[in-house]
Amino acid sequence: MTFVYDATYEGLLSAIFESYRLQTIPLRIVAEDKHQKSLFDQVVTINTDDTYSNRVKKGLEKKCGKQASNLIYRCFLSEKPGIEMLIFHFVRTAMKHEENVLQNYRDEQILQLHQINKQIGREVHRMHAFVRFQETKDGMMTSLINPDFNVIPLIGKHFVDRYPAFEWLIYDTKRRYGIHYKDSLSFITFGENQHRYLAGEVLTSAENQYQQLWKSYFRAVDIPERRNLKLHVQHVPKRYWKYLIEKSEA
Amino acid sequence: MNHRVKEKLEILADAAKYDVSCASSGSKRKNTKDGLGNATGMGICHTYTQDGRCVSLLKILLTNHCIFDCAYCVSRRSNDIKRAAFTVQEVVDLTINFYKRNYIEGLFLSSGIFKNVDYTMERLVRIAKKLREEHKFNGYIHLKAIPGASDELIHEAGLYADRLSVNLEIPSEQSLKKVAPEKDYATAYKPMNYLSEAITEYKKEKKVIKSAPKFTPGGQSTQLVIGATPENDRHILNLADSLYQQQNLKRVYYSGYIPISDDNRLPVLRQAPLRRENRLYQADWLMRFYKFKVDEIVDDNNPNLDLDIDPKLAYALRNPQFFPIDVNIADYEWILRIPGIGAKSAKKIIAARRFGKLRQEHLKKIGIIWKRAKYFLTCADRDFINLGFQPEAIRAQILHNPKSKSKPGQLNLFAPTPTLLTT
Ligand code: SF4
């Protein structure tokens, strides 16, 4: 049996709830945009329902604490194929056992969740580091990103704490949405194909100067005697270069 | 921002790059509603140089003019180089604008000595003050505390900076005298001791009165140049240990001497002793986080660190009487001493074994480096493979395994960074 849900987190939790209600273990849980119909497959379409998803979340937290619900939410954002069943397994295991199974690293699937969570953590940390704001003529600081995982929901607070006094935008060009801040934080999306690059003419002249200065600085701190490009690329993987001022051409 | 600033930046970043410490961690500073920036205590590397060093701070000299003539320093008076000096405002503008764009965590400001020490120190302090008070900047600030500066200036610096550093540079006074005739240990220890006391005082006060001001919340650090003078690792680690114990230093940085100087007071090296530098960082790590004592790392028979293997492995091989260690019952401290197991894995082991005895497969998945650890531990399904614990045999096996590098990760972790510079 395949459970098909609407690709939201609440949808996934509703699916887990549904499995308890129907007393069945699904073979797969798949987001509708990834679902491919097959002839012999029995499909259950999940209704996303906040009361259901909340009950799953609360139930899990009662057993294993907030840390556990945090863990599965963050892992969900990894968008990894099969992540739904890992989360499903974890919730079932948590409910079945008296003790808190969160740290049962002997359980392979639980260990896997922790490992994915670690990757998420690394990506969040990378975004804290690699966001580059550019000042546009309308007075906003804008940054385009292209993270491996869907970490936009996890990075807002860091930047709010740091830059509360001006307006800024961080936009995920792959997933086509972002966070906008002006006194408060909100999600924002634009139409198709917008905001892949920031055209030079929308930037202030000071912006161009500081970008030049930053590039000069980056060149100046290099120590040729110690050059180690392998290490460099390990820390700053090439797929991030596109939006890094110091690594982009021109 | 004109062309002149770009040129200054090139000269003064280049001159500062040999100063190792890039750390922006260890200090927490909250932002205000209308302020700019914070320090999270985590430290973020915003980019990496092409040699793999972390770029966290705008690291520059205020000036590379200097009245001193330290042989190991590019800015020394007798060196024929281009000189430049920033104005106070230029440094402030660069910091604010780089920070706003999320290029940096803050400022690391050092300087050659122009005119005299207080004249220079006063400018460093003025920059920090301007950033904090006029621009409400709450990002990270690291200043050099220049030996010989007045207590008042050192104190003021402590009120604005997250971290201050006084560099000893040369690991013994005898050698220092030879290469830096204007310097001595007493002058360097004076501000260190002053800071150490003031930091303790302010901390005490802050416990009682929450609103008491912060004073160098990230503590103080220093740098030692390695390989320019003859001191051995035992001497260096003992010195570091005493700096941690007595001056309460947060960090000691080791900097393999890069033979940039053709000054004849220094040895001619073909290349910087990077391997040795890395081993010193590993040893330092063992002292600070793994509770190793100096004489467990180096001793009379082994006054220098083994360059081929990391100091933790070397320790285990020298002390077969403590191994193997049973991971299902041993204390955390002892699990940490097993080569191939780091702090994270050790914690996971302690947590996971509550759910049942751990076997080899569990340990591997938890992420320990099995190839290395297997010689030193026992677990549920596996008795110690007895090589008769012949240290030489184990050493050979580990070294010959082409994939086993010494303690993966650590090399990068410490971002081995180079030598030199400034006061
Ligand atoms: S180490 Fe400091 S005092 Fe010595 S020459 Fe360099 S800048 Fe001047």
PDB file of all heavy atoms in Angstrom, chain A residues 129 132 161-163 207 210 216-217 221-222 226 228 232 234 246, chain B residues 6 17 31 37-38 46-47 49 53 59 97 99 101 105 412 416:
ATOM      1  N   ALA A 129      27.338  30.809   6.697  1.00  0.00           N
ATOM      2  CA  ALA A 129      28.633  31.290   6.223  1.00  0.00           C
ATOM      3  C   ALA A 129      28.558  31.879   4.818  1.00  0.00           C
ATOM      4  O   ALA A 129      29.151  32.906   4.541  1.00  0.00           O
ATOM      5  CB  ALA A 129      29.641  30.142   6.250  1.00  0.00           C
ATOM      6  N   ARG A 132      25.669  35.842   0.931  1.00  0.00           N
ATOM      7  CA  ARG A 132      26.341  37.102   0.614  1.00  0.00           C
ATOM      8  C   ARG A 132      25.278  38.124   0.260  1.00  0.00           C
ATOM      9  O   ARG A 132      24.614  37.985  -0.762  1.00  0.00           O
ATOM     10  CB  ARG A 132      27.289  36.934  -0.591  1.00  0.00           C
ATOM     11  CG  ARG A 132      28.443  35.984  -0.378  1.00  0.00           C
ATOM     12  CD  ARG A 132      29.529  36.595   0.493  1.00  0.00           C
ATOM     13  NE  ARG A 132      30.620  35.672   0.705  1.00  0.00           N
ATOM     14  CZ  ARG A 132      30.707  34.811   1.729  1.00  0.00           C
ATOM     15  NH1 ARG A 132      29.762  34.792   2.646  1.00  0.00           N
ATOM     16  NH2 ARG A 132      31.738  34.000   1.833  1.00  0.00           N
ATOM     17  N   ASP A 161      18.768  37.796  14.236  1.00  0.00           N
ATOM     18  CA  ASP A 161      19.572  38.211  15.387  1.00  0.00           C
ATOM     19  C   ASP A 161      20.704  39.129  14.953  1.00  0.00           C
ATOM     20  O   ASP A 161      21.089  40.054  15.656  1.00  0.00           O
ATOM     21  CB  ASP A 161      20.191  36.991  16.082  1.00  0.00           C
ATOM     22  CG  ASP A 161      19.142  36.168  16.811  1.00  0.00           C
ATOM     23  OD1 ASP A 161      18.020  36.683  16.993  1.00  0.00           O
ATOM     24  OD2 ASP A 161      19.440  35.024  17.184  1.00  0.00           O
ATOM     25  N   ARG A 162      21.231  38.845  13.803  1.00  0.00           N
ATOM     26  CA  ARG A 162      22.405  39.565  13.350  1.00  0.00           C
ATOM     27  C   ARG A 162      22.067  40.888  12.672  1.00  0.00           C
ATOM     28  O   ARG A 162      22.770  41.878  12.861  1.00  0.00           O
ATOM     29  CB  ARG A 162      23.137  38.639  12.369  1.00  0.00           C
ATOM     30  CG  ARG A 162      24.527  39.021  12.121  1.00  0.00           C
ATOM     31  CD  ARG A 162      25.306  37.829  11.644  1.00  0.00           C
ATOM     32  NE  ARG A 162      25.899  37.114  12.761  1.00  0.00           N
ATOM     33  CZ  ARG A 162      27.056  36.472  12.686  1.00  0.00           C
ATOM     34  NH1 ARG A 162      27.706  36.426  11.547  1.00  0.00           N
ATOM     35  NH2 ARG A 162      27.560  35.870  13.731  1.00  0.00           N
ATOM     36  N   TYR A 163      21.030  40.881  11.870  1.00  0.00           N
ATOM     37  CA  TYR A 163      20.697  42.075  11.075  1.00  0.00           C
ATOM     38  C   TYR A 163      19.265  42.549  11.315  1.00  0.00           C
ATOM     39  O   TYR A 163      18.430  42.512  10.420  1.00  0.00           O
ATOM     40  CB  TYR A 163      20.886  41.765   9.582  1.00  0.00           C
ATOM     41  CG  TYR A 163      22.251  41.226   9.226  1.00  0.00           C
ATOM     42  CD1 TYR A 163      22.419  39.919   8.778  1.00  0.00           C
ATOM     43  CD2 TYR A 163      23.385  42.035   9.347  1.00  0.00           C
ATOM     44  CE1 TYR A 163      23.679  39.427   8.460  1.00  0.00           C
ATOM     45  CE2 TYR A 163      24.645  41.551   9.035  1.00  0.00           C
ATOM     46  CZ  TYR A 163      24.785  40.243   8.593  1.00  0.00           C
ATOM     47  OH  TYR A 163      26.026  39.758   8.281  1.00  0.00           O
ATOM     48  N   GLU A 207      27.950  49.139  -3.522  1.00  0.00           N
ATOM     49  CA  GLU A 207      27.959  47.683  -3.539  1.00  0.00           C
ATOM     50  C   GLU A 207      29.093  47.162  -4.421  1.00  0.00           C
ATOM     51  O   GLU A 207      29.861  46.300  -4.021  1.00  0.00           O
ATOM     52  CB  GLU A 207      26.608  47.161  -4.038  1.00  0.00           C
ATOM     53  CG  GLU A 207      26.524  45.645  -4.137  1.00  0.00           C
ATOM     54  CD  GLU A 207      26.817  44.941  -2.828  1.00  0.00           C
ATOM     55  OE1 GLU A 207      26.421  45.455  -1.765  1.00  0.00           O
ATOM     56  OE2 GLU A 207      27.476  43.882  -2.855  1.00  0.00           O
ATOM     57  N   TYR A 210      32.481  47.636  -2.728  1.00  0.00           N
ATOM     58  CA  TYR A 210      32.790  46.718  -1.630  1.00  0.00           C
ATOM     59  C   TYR A 210      33.025  45.296  -2.134  1.00  0.00           C
ATOM     60  O   TYR A 210      33.832  44.558  -1.577  1.00  0.00           O
ATOM     61  CB  TYR A 210      31.717  46.777  -0.541  1.00  0.00           C
ATOM     62  CG  TYR A 210      31.928  47.975   0.345  1.00  0.00           C
ATOM     63  CD1 TYR A 210      31.057  49.063   0.330  1.00  0.00           C
ATOM     64  CD2 TYR A 210      33.060  48.062   1.164  1.00  0.00           C
ATOM     65  CE1 TYR A 210      31.289  50.182   1.115  1.00  0.00           C
ATOM     66  CE2 TYR A 210      33.306  49.175   1.951  1.00  0.00           C
ATOM     67  CZ  TYR A 210      32.414  50.230   1.920  1.00  0.00           C
ATOM     68  OH  TYR A 210      32.660  51.332   2.696  1.00  0.00           O
ATOM     69  N   SER A 216      39.674  41.764  -3.470  1.00  0.00           N
ATOM     70  CA  SER A 216      41.089  42.094  -3.231  1.00  0.00           C
ATOM     71  C   SER A 216      41.553  41.479  -1.924  1.00  0.00           C
ATOM     72  O   SER A 216      42.657  40.947  -1.822  1.00  0.00           O
ATOM     73  CB  SER A 216      41.317  43.603  -3.108  1.00  0.00           C
ATOM     74  OG  SER A 216      40.739  44.265  -4.164  1.00  0.00           O
ATOM     75  N   TYR A 217      40.697  41.586  -0.917  1.00  0.00           N
ATOM     76  CA  TYR A 217      41.064  41.028   0.382  1.00  0.00           C
ATOM     77  C   TYR A 217      41.291  39.522   0.262  1.00  0.00           C
ATOM     78  O   TYR A 217      42.290  38.989   0.732  1.00  0.00           O
ATOM     79  CB  TYR A 217      39.962  41.314   1.409  1.00  0.00           C
ATOM     80  CG  TYR A 217      40.276  40.729   2.767  1.00  0.00           C
ATOM     81  CD1 TYR A 217      41.263  41.298   3.571  1.00  0.00           C
ATOM     82  CD2 TYR A 217      39.616  39.599   3.247  1.00  0.00           C
ATOM     83  CE1 TYR A 217      41.591  40.748   4.803  1.00  0.00           C
ATOM     84  CE2 TYR A 217      39.925  39.047   4.471  1.00  0.00           C
ATOM     85  CZ  TYR A 217      40.911  39.628   5.248  1.00  0.00           C
ATOM     86  OH  TYR A 217      41.228  39.080   6.459  1.00  0.00           O
ATOM     87  N   VAL A 221      44.989  37.612   1.206  1.00  0.00           N
ATOM     88  CA  VAL A 221      45.267  36.757   2.370  1.00  0.00           C
ATOM     89  C   VAL A 221      45.787  35.369   1.974  1.00  0.00           C
ATOM     90  O   VAL A 221      46.135  34.565   2.825  1.00  0.00           O
ATOM     91  CB  VAL A 221      44.038  36.573   3.291  1.00  0.00           C
ATOM     92  CG1 VAL A 221      43.709  37.883   3.973  1.00  0.00           C
ATOM     93  CG2 VAL A 221      42.831  36.048   2.535  1.00  0.00           C
ATOM     94  N   ASP A 222      45.827  35.118   0.700  1.00  0.00           N
ATOM     95  CA  ASP A 222      46.325  33.840   0.227  1.00  0.00           C
ATOM     96  C   ASP A 222      47.818  33.694   0.531  1.00  0.00           C
ATOM     97  O   ASP A 222      48.565  34.659   0.429  1.00  0.00           O
ATOM     98  CB  ASP A 222      46.116  33.799  -1.285  1.00  0.00           C
ATOM     99  CG  ASP A 222      45.871  32.394  -1.760  1.00  0.00           C
ATOM    100  OD1 ASP A 222      45.227  31.645  -1.030  1.00  0.00           O
ATOM    101  OD2 ASP A 222      46.348  32.065  -2.855  1.00  0.00           O
ATOM    102  N   ARG A 226      51.647  27.840   0.877  1.00  0.00           N
ATOM    103  CA  ARG A 226      50.861  26.815   1.548  1.00  0.00           C
ATOM    104  C   ARG A 226      49.705  26.320   0.696  1.00  0.00           C
ATOM    105  O   ARG A 226      48.843  25.599   1.186  1.00  0.00           O
ATOM    106  CB  ARG A 226      50.311  27.372   2.868  1.00  0.00           C
ATOM    107  CG  ARG A 226      51.384  27.762   3.848  1.00  0.00           C
ATOM    108  CD  ARG A 226      50.792  28.269   5.143  1.00  0.00           C
ATOM    109  NE  ARG A 226      50.182  27.204   5.903  1.00  0.00           N
ATOM    110  CZ  ARG A 226      50.454  26.941   7.180  1.00  0.00           C
ATOM    111  NH1 ARG A 226      51.342  27.654   7.827  1.00  0.00           N
ATOM    112  NH2 ARG A 226      49.837  25.988   7.809  1.00  0.00           N
ATOM    113  N   ASN A 228      46.786  24.753  -1.140  1.00  0.00           N
ATOM    114  CA  ASN A 228      46.238  23.415  -0.989  1.00  0.00           C
ATOM    115  C   ASN A 228      44.804  23.449  -1.514  1.00  0.00           C
ATOM    116  O   ASN A 228      43.850  23.607  -0.772  1.00  0.00           O
ATOM    117  CB  ASN A 228      46.276  23.027   0.495  1.00  0.00           C
ATOM    118  CG  ASN A 228      45.824  21.600   0.721  1.00  0.00           C
ATOM    119  OD1 ASN A 228      45.217  20.988  -0.148  1.00  0.00           O
ATOM    120  ND2 ASN A 228      46.103  21.074   1.898  1.00  0.00           N
ATOM    121  N   HIS A 232      40.891  23.461  -0.015  1.00  0.00           N
ATOM    122  CA  HIS A 232      40.043  24.616  -0.310  1.00  0.00           C
ATOM    123  C   HIS A 232      38.672  24.174  -0.828  1.00  0.00           C
ATOM    124  O   HIS A 232      37.634  24.605  -0.336  1.00  0.00           O
ATOM    125  CB  HIS A 232      40.749  25.497  -1.344  1.00  0.00           C
ATOM    126  CG  HIS A 232      39.910  26.628  -1.847  1.00  0.00           C
ATOM    127  ND1 HIS A 232      39.550  27.690  -1.057  1.00  0.00           N
ATOM    128  CD2 HIS A 232      39.343  26.845  -3.055  1.00  0.00           C
ATOM    129  CE1 HIS A 232      38.797  28.526  -1.768  1.00  0.00           C
ATOM    130  NE2 HIS A 232      38.654  28.028  -2.982  1.00  0.00           N
ATOM    131  N   GLN A 234      37.302  21.295  -0.609  1.00  0.00           N
ATOM    132  CA  GLN A 234      36.591  20.521   0.396  1.00  0.00           C
ATOM    133  C   GLN A 234      35.768  21.442   1.312  1.00  0.00           C
ATOM    134  O   GLN A 234      34.644  21.147   1.669  1.00  0.00           O
ATOM    135  CB  GLN A 234      37.636  19.769   1.204  1.00  0.00           C
ATOM    136  CG  GLN A 234      37.134  18.680   2.109  1.00  0.00           C
ATOM    137  CD  GLN A 234      38.336  18.038   2.802  1.00  0.00           C
ATOM    138  OE1 GLN A 234      39.357  17.726   2.177  1.00  0.00           O
ATOM    139  NE2 GLN A 234      38.240  17.876   4.106  1.00  0.00           N
ATOM    140  N   GLU A 246      33.560  36.231  -3.742  1.00  0.00           N
ATOM    141  CA  GLU A 246      35.004  36.069  -3.884  1.00  0.00           C
ATOM    142  C   GLU A 246      35.377  34.963  -4.856  1.00  0.00           C
ATOM    143  O   GLU A 246      36.513  34.876  -5.297  1.00  0.00           O
ATOM    144  CB  GLU A 246      35.648  35.832  -2.511  1.00  0.00           C
ATOM    145  CG  GLU A 246      35.330  34.500  -1.833  1.00  0.00           C
ATOM    146  CD  GLU A 246      34.012  34.510  -1.057  1.00  0.00           C
ATOM    147  OE1 GLU A 246      33.199  35.429  -1.273  1.00  0.00           O
ATOM    148  OE2 GLU A 246      33.805  33.589  -0.253  1.00  0.00           O
TER     149      GLU A 246
ATOM    150  N   LYS B   6      41.884  50.481  -1.619  1.00  0.00           N
ATOM    151  CA  LYS B   6      42.097  49.138  -2.160  1.00  0.00           C
ATOM    152  C   LYS B   6      43.568  48.752  -2.037  1.00  0.00           C
ATOM    153  O   LYS B   6      43.904  47.651  -1.607  1.00  0.00           O
ATOM    154  CB  LYS B   6      41.644  49.108  -3.619  1.00  0.00           C
ATOM    155  CG  LYS B   6      41.712  47.753  -4.235  1.00  0.00           C
ATOM    156  CD  LYS B   6      40.884  47.685  -5.520  1.00  0.00           C
ATOM    157  CE  LYS B   6      41.058  46.324  -6.139  1.00  0.00           C
ATOM    158  NZ  LYS B   6      41.704  46.350  -7.437  1.00  0.00           N
ATOM    159  N   LYS B  17      48.459  38.505   7.228  1.00  0.00           N
ATOM    160  CA  LYS B  17      47.987  37.149   6.997  1.00  0.00           C
ATOM    161  C   LYS B  17      48.814  36.092   7.708  1.00  0.00           C
ATOM    162  O   LYS B  17      48.368  34.974   7.883  1.00  0.00           O
ATOM    163  CB  LYS B  17      47.926  36.850   5.504  1.00  0.00           C
ATOM    164  CG  LYS B  17      49.268  36.667   4.846  1.00  0.00           C
ATOM    165  CD  LYS B  17      49.104  36.557   3.345  1.00  0.00           C
ATOM    166  CE  LYS B  17      50.454  36.429   2.675  1.00  0.00           C
ATOM    167  NZ  LYS B  17      50.341  36.523   1.214  1.00  0.00           N
ATOM    168  N   ASN B  31      23.012  41.023  20.198  1.00  0.00           N
ATOM    169  CA  ASN B  31      22.756  42.247  19.458  1.00  0.00           C
ATOM    170  C   ASN B  31      21.665  43.040  20.160  1.00  0.00           C
ATOM    171  O   ASN B  31      20.932  42.530  20.993  1.00  0.00           O
ATOM    172  CB  ASN B  31      22.307  41.892  18.036  1.00  0.00           C
ATOM    173  CG  ASN B  31      22.506  43.047  17.068  1.00  0.00           C
ATOM    174  OD1 ASN B  31      22.987  44.115  17.444  1.00  0.00           O
ATOM    175  ND2 ASN B  31      22.133  42.823  15.825  1.00  0.00           N
ATOM    176  N   GLY B  37      24.916  43.068  14.170  1.00  0.00           N
ATOM    177  CA  GLY B  37      25.759  41.916  14.447  1.00  0.00           C
ATOM    178  C   GLY B  37      25.681  41.361  15.845  1.00  0.00           C
ATOM    179  O   GLY B  37      25.124  41.956  16.756  1.00  0.00           O
ATOM    180  N   ASN B  38      26.253  40.178  15.976  1.00  0.00           N
ATOM    181  CA  ASN B  38      26.361  39.530  17.269  1.00  0.00           C
ATOM    182  C   ASN B  38      27.512  38.539  17.201  1.00  0.00           C
ATOM    183  O   ASN B  38      28.079  38.300  16.142  1.00  0.00           O
ATOM    184  CB  ASN B  38      25.054  38.818  17.627  1.00  0.00           C
ATOM    185  CG  ASN B  38      24.675  37.748  16.607  1.00  0.00           C
ATOM    186  OD1 ASN B  38      25.377  37.522  15.622  1.00  0.00           O
ATOM    187  ND2 ASN B  38      23.576  37.088  16.835  1.00  0.00           N
ATOM    188  N   HIS B  46      33.602  32.179   6.923  1.00  0.00           N
ATOM    189  CA  HIS B  46      32.781  32.627   5.800  1.00  0.00           C
ATOM    190  C   HIS B  46      33.339  32.191   4.459  1.00  0.00           C
ATOM    191  O   HIS B  46      32.616  32.056   3.492  1.00  0.00           O
ATOM    192  CB  HIS B  46      32.595  34.142   5.856  1.00  0.00           C
ATOM    193  CG  HIS B  46      31.592  34.532   6.895  1.00  0.00           C
ATOM    194  ND1 HIS B  46      30.256  34.571   6.648  1.00  0.00           N
ATOM    195  CD2 HIS B  46      31.740  34.838   8.206  1.00  0.00           C
ATOM    196  CE1 HIS B  46      29.604  34.904   7.750  1.00  0.00           C
ATOM    197  NE2 HIS B  46      30.488  35.069   8.720  1.00  0.00           N
ATOM    198  N   THR B  47      34.628  31.993   4.429  1.00  0.00           N
ATOM    199  CA  THR B  47      35.204  31.386   3.247  1.00  0.00           C
ATOM    200  C   THR B  47      36.546  30.786   3.655  1.00  0.00           C
ATOM    201  O   THR B  47      36.917  30.839   4.834  1.00  0.00           O
ATOM    202  CB  THR B  47      35.345  32.401   2.082  1.00  0.00           C
ATOM    203  OG1 THR B  47      35.680  31.709   0.889  1.00  0.00           O
ATOM    204  CG2 THR B  47      36.408  33.447   2.368  1.00  0.00           C
ATOM    205  N   THR B  49      40.739  30.342   2.368  1.00  0.00           N
ATOM    206  CA  THR B  49      41.767  30.741   1.423  1.00  0.00           C
ATOM    207  C   THR B  49      42.119  29.549   0.545  1.00  0.00           C
ATOM    208  O   THR B  49      41.728  28.420   0.838  1.00  0.00           O
ATOM    209  CB  THR B  49      43.057  31.162   2.150  1.00  0.00           C
ATOM    210  OG1 THR B  49      43.496  30.053   2.936  1.00  0.00           O
ATOM    211  CG2 THR B  49      42.820  32.360   3.038  1.00  0.00           C
ATOM    212  N   ARG B  53      42.818  27.799   4.709  1.00  0.00           N
ATOM    213  CA  ARG B  53      42.627  28.407   6.029  1.00  0.00           C
ATOM    214  C   ARG B  53      41.281  29.104   6.106  1.00  0.00           C
ATOM    215  O   ARG B  53      40.802  29.687   5.140  1.00  0.00           O
ATOM    216  CB  ARG B  53      43.727  29.433   6.331  1.00  0.00           C
ATOM    217  CG  ARG B  53      45.038  28.825   6.823  1.00  0.00           C
ATOM    218  CD  ARG B  53      46.138  29.873   6.805  1.00  0.00           C
ATOM    219  NE  ARG B  53      46.207  30.519   5.514  1.00  0.00           N
ATOM    220  CZ  ARG B  53      46.230  31.836   5.355  1.00  0.00           C
ATOM    221  NH1 ARG B  53      46.219  32.642   6.381  1.00  0.00           N
ATOM    222  NH2 ARG B  53      46.282  32.334   4.137  1.00  0.00           N
ATOM    223  N   LYS B  59      41.077  40.506   8.768  1.00  0.00           N
ATOM    224  CA  LYS B  59      42.326  40.513   9.514  1.00  0.00           C
ATOM    225  C   LYS B  59      43.321  41.447   8.832  1.00  0.00           C
ATOM    226  O   LYS B  59      43.803  41.149   7.747  1.00  0.00           O
ATOM    227  CB  LYS B  59      42.887  39.097   9.580  1.00  0.00           C
ATOM    228  CG  LYS B  59      43.954  38.932  10.631  1.00  0.00           C
ATOM    229  CD  LYS B  59      44.700  37.619  10.525  1.00  0.00           C
ATOM    230  CE  LYS B  59      43.832  36.405  10.510  1.00  0.00           C
ATOM    231  NZ  LYS B  59      44.632  35.164  10.552  1.00  0.00           N
ATOM    232  N   ASN B  97      30.978  47.566   6.530  1.00  0.00           N
ATOM    233  CA  ASN B  97      30.439  47.178   5.228  1.00  0.00           C
ATOM    234  C   ASN B  97      30.693  45.726   4.866  1.00  0.00           C
ATOM    235  O   ASN B  97      29.865  45.091   4.219  1.00  0.00           O
ATOM    236  CB  ASN B  97      30.954  48.110   4.143  1.00  0.00           C
ATOM    237  CG  ASN B  97      30.150  49.397   4.117  1.00  0.00           C
ATOM    238  OD1 ASN B  97      29.005  49.389   3.696  1.00  0.00           O
ATOM    239  ND2 ASN B  97      30.725  50.474   4.629  1.00  0.00           N
ATOM    240  N   TYR B  99      30.868  43.428   7.156  1.00  0.00           N
ATOM    241  CA  TYR B  99      29.994  42.695   8.077  1.00  0.00           C
ATOM    242  C   TYR B  99      28.547  42.676   7.586  1.00  0.00           C
ATOM    243  O   TYR B  99      27.879  41.644   7.618  1.00  0.00           O
ATOM    244  CB  TYR B  99      30.059  43.299   9.483  1.00  0.00           C
ATOM    245  CG  TYR B  99      29.445  42.374  10.514  1.00  0.00           C
ATOM    246  CD1 TYR B  99      30.221  41.437  11.175  1.00  0.00           C
ATOM    247  CD2 TYR B  99      28.079  42.401  10.785  1.00  0.00           C
ATOM    248  CE1 TYR B  99      29.661  40.552  12.090  1.00  0.00           C
ATOM    249  CE2 TYR B  99      27.508  41.526  11.681  1.00  0.00           C
ATOM    250  CZ  TYR B  99      28.307  40.606  12.337  1.00  0.00           C
ATOM    251  OH  TYR B  99      27.740  39.726  13.232  1.00  0.00           O
ATOM    252  N   ARG B 101      27.442  42.662   4.721  1.00  0.00           N
ATOM    253  CA  ARG B 101      27.271  41.775   3.565  1.00  0.00           C
ATOM    254  C   ARG B 101      27.490  40.308   3.928  1.00  0.00           C
ATOM    255  O   ARG B 101      27.517  39.449   3.065  1.00  0.00           O
ATOM    256  CB  ARG B 101      28.221  42.224   2.453  1.00  0.00           C
ATOM    257  CG  ARG B 101      27.753  43.514   1.804  1.00  0.00           C
ATOM    258  CD  ARG B 101      28.804  44.195   0.967  1.00  0.00           C
ATOM    259  NE  ARG B 101      28.225  45.363   0.303  1.00  0.00           N
ATOM    260  CZ  ARG B 101      27.989  46.525   0.908  1.00  0.00           C
ATOM    261  NH1 ARG B 101      28.303  46.685   2.187  1.00  0.00           N
ATOM    262  NH2 ARG B 101      27.435  47.523   0.251  1.00  0.00           N
ATOM    263  N   GLU B 105      32.877  37.716  10.376  1.00  0.00           N
ATOM    264  CA  GLU B 105      32.328  37.703  11.730  1.00  0.00           C
ATOM    265  C   GLU B 105      32.753  38.925  12.530  1.00  0.00           C
ATOM    266  O   GLU B 105      32.223  39.183  13.607  1.00  0.00           O
ATOM    267  CB  GLU B 105      32.815  36.463  12.478  1.00  0.00           C
ATOM    268  CG  GLU B 105      32.216  35.168  11.984  1.00  0.00           C
ATOM    269  CD  GLU B 105      30.718  35.116  12.219  1.00  0.00           C
ATOM    270  OE1 GLU B 105      30.302  34.932  13.367  1.00  0.00           O
ATOM    271  OE2 GLU B 105      29.984  35.279  11.233  1.00  0.00           O
ATOM    272  N   ASN B 412      42.253  19.630   9.133  1.00  0.00           N
ATOM    273  CA  ASN B 412      41.423  20.736   8.678  1.00  0.00           C
ATOM    274  C   ASN B 412      40.904  21.532   9.852  1.00  0.00           C
ATOM    275  O   ASN B 412      40.808  22.738   9.816  1.00  0.00           O
ATOM    276  CB  ASN B 412      40.219  20.236   7.904  1.00  0.00           C
ATOM    277  CG  ASN B 412      40.568  19.031   7.083  1.00  0.00           C
ATOM    278  OD1 ASN B 412      41.751  18.722   6.950  1.00  0.00           O
ATOM    279  ND2 ASN B 412      39.577  18.353   6.575  1.00  0.00           N
ATOM    280  N   PRO B 416      45.681  24.668   9.837  1.00  0.00           N
ATOM    281  CA  PRO B 416      47.055  25.000  10.124  1.00  0.00           C
ATOM    282  C   PRO B 416      47.392  26.340   9.500  1.00  0.00           C
ATOM    283  O   PRO B 416      47.135  26.553   8.336  1.00  0.00           O
ATOM    284  CB  PRO B 416      47.851  23.891   9.463  1.00  0.00           C
ATOM    285  CG  PRO B 416      46.893  23.134   8.637  1.00  0.00           C
ATOM    286  CD  PRO B 416      45.535  23.397   9.155  1.00  0.00           C
TER     287      PRO B 416
END
